[in-house]
Amino acid sequence: MYRLARAGAGLAILLSVTWAGPVVAAACQNTGSFPKWLEAFKKDALQAGISKQTLAEAAPMLRFDKSIVGRDRAQGVFSQSFAEFAGRMVSGHRIQQGGRLIKKHADLFAKVEKAYGVPAPVITAFWALESDFGVNMGKLPVFPALATLAYDCRRSQMFREQLVAALQILQDGDLSRDEMIGSWAGELGQTQFLPSFYAQYGVDFDGDGRRNLLTSTPDLIASTGNYIKGLGWQRGQPWLQEVRVPGDLDWSQADLAIQHSRAQWAEWGVAAAKGQELSRDELPASLLLPMGRNGPAFLAYPNFRIYLEWNQSLIYSTTAAYLATRLAGAQTIGKGNGKVAPLSFQQIKQLQKLLTGRGHDVGEVDGKLGAATRAAVKAEQQRLGLPADSYPTVEFLVKLAKSGAD
């Protein structure tokens, strides 16, 4: 799922557009006429089942807003480490308020878990990060935003589909035109659904005849649970567990693409965070080291992939999963085995250029330590005889630069 992760009032869209399929370069130019484009779009919308009445109702809002293009082109670059980001986002306020809401709506959460298999802490963590429990859902009308982005050359097809879905929400009577206020990229509600997912997974859980993810707590909680279930959540299974790792571990096994049973991890000396032994069973798990072998360590269970479906940013996903564990009663994570000095934004760009020069496909040189960059780092660590934990250090950067000069 394409997500514009707002992650609370302070973060806004720093994590936005973490994945949306192929993206046309931000420098593309719009050459056609917006009014002509809009007329063609209206014809397509009619063919897609949108009525003339709905189009007429939305028409005053189907306008071009240049500021939306500016926001899209000037998105912030996310370059914080997991420790920095989680330290800020997994705040005492969110844990306390989340706990209060779980207690307040205990019966509702129990009904939702029975229906969809998703526990209260998982839903509540997304509720916290996406809008600070409804405090920051965005303040912009979604129709001008979606019309602008659907016309714009950068991701026109994707947002064209979102605009049709927004019209369908209006046509179905779930929200009025004036209620459709959200983020600059058209996300709606307290867990920030794009219109197509609002239409697909929205649930009228309070029985009032419409799906209202803006002000109806039952609809919000049930719809979020329904969406998480739709992503493949496995009922009754864990998602993330902090662990301690021995210093002599085969670090190449620390990879989300590699799974071993908990019994195998325990055999290799991996222990629960407080030093207790892991359950020696066959439940598969990956070893997740968001800041390398010296930073915090987690076992990521199959349900963790749901977080990456929600938002492909590893730091956001790990933070959301960690917050859910805190809401479920886990303690604050430890600092790991040693001091970690994350690379700066410019150093990561330098790293990506060096990796590209060695034949690795890291995507855009954007200063983000994403999955492709981490995979390339692991390959080069193995080549250079360094611990292959997929996390770049200054030492690794220097050795990589020297190896390219040889």
Side-chain angles (χ1 to χ4, degrees), residues 1 8 23 50 165 210 229 242 244 270 286 288 290 294 312-313 388 400:
M1 176 183 181
V23 174
I50 303 301
R210 65 184 192 136
K229 176 188 176 183
E242 187 188 4
R244 292 180 179 177
V270 176
S286 300
L288 171 61
N294 290 322
Q312 202 179 36
S313 163
L400 182 64

Side-chain angles (χ1 to χ4, degrees), residues 30-38 151:
N30 295 314
T31 57
S33 160
F34 178 77
K36 288 183 179 179
W37 173 89
L38 184 58
Y151 162 73

Side-chain angles (χ1 to χ4, degrees), residues 7 54 58 80 91 98 123 126 138 160 164 175 188 190 198-199 210 222 250 266 287 290 299 307 310 318 377 382:
T54 299
Q80 288 178 297
S91 64
I123 295 171
F126 284 123
R160 192 182 188 97
V164 171
L175 297 173
L188 289 160
Q190 296 188 39
Y198 194 117
R210 65 184 192 136
D250 178 0
L287 183 60
L299 284 185
Y307 289 88
W310 185 290
T318 307
V377 167
Q382 291 173 319

